[in-house]
Amino acid sequence: MSLSQPATPVPQSPATGVGRHRSALVLYSGGQDSTTCLAQALTRYDRVETLGFDYGQRHGVEMQVRLTARQALVQAFPEWRARLGEDHVLSLDVLTQIGGSSLTDDVAFAMQADGLPNTFVPGRNLLFLTLAGALAYRRGMSVIVTGVCETDFSGYPDCRDDTMKAMQLALNLGLDRRLLIDTPLMWLDKAQTWALAQALGGDKLVELIRRETHTCYQGVRDALHAWGYGCGTCPACELRARGWAAWTA
Ligand code: ZN
């Protein structure tokens, strides 16, 4: 399999790194999407910090992977090192207290009666963005970058573009700041997200994302597949594998 094939054309989101926006807080879980977002932020903004959430997710391995993947990124791309600042982790145990999701409770992945997968954690992204806004306020940062998308989004309503726009408006009003929520993957499918990684950092970045990031909901990292580590059967692995197959076809 060649990683050097011509990249699929990738729609570009506005060049938010120019003009008055110089610093960005990236919601960073150590997965394919947020690592691609982090790489892009490091090409666009003078100062980039990362934010992760510990909410009792069953795939707790992501809390370690996000650190090793972040480190691998600046080792592979030393030109980004000076731009990458602090990492922040906030605890959101409250999501475990609410429970009822297969991401936080020990229940099998399944579809709910309302058509959503039971991996949906109600309010998760709303809380993530609210806390990211509060941290950005304290850190004097003007952009929040998040890897949510509507294309391969499992139907999660809190990943929708309208939700992001509404959250941006709420944060701007509630904090009395001009904060931008930048969603570079909003209209990309998983194949196009691989293509974006290729465009940003060539085969080196694609290989880093393949090996160093973690997407699997089950936290499995015992076998390296063509598309990366994972159980291969959970909804997150299926999306990632399908995107890789489409991109490399
Ligand atoms: Zn999996």
Side-chain angles (χ1 to χ4, degrees), residues 216-218 230-234 237:
C216 176
Y217 284 152
Q218 313 239 49
C231 71
T233 57
C234 77
C237 280

Side-chain angles (χ1 to χ4, degrees), residues 104-119:
T104 53
D105 296 1
D106 189 15
V107 294
F109 302 116
M111 294 303 287
Q112 301 176 164
D114 60 5
L116 275 178
N118 69 354
T119 50

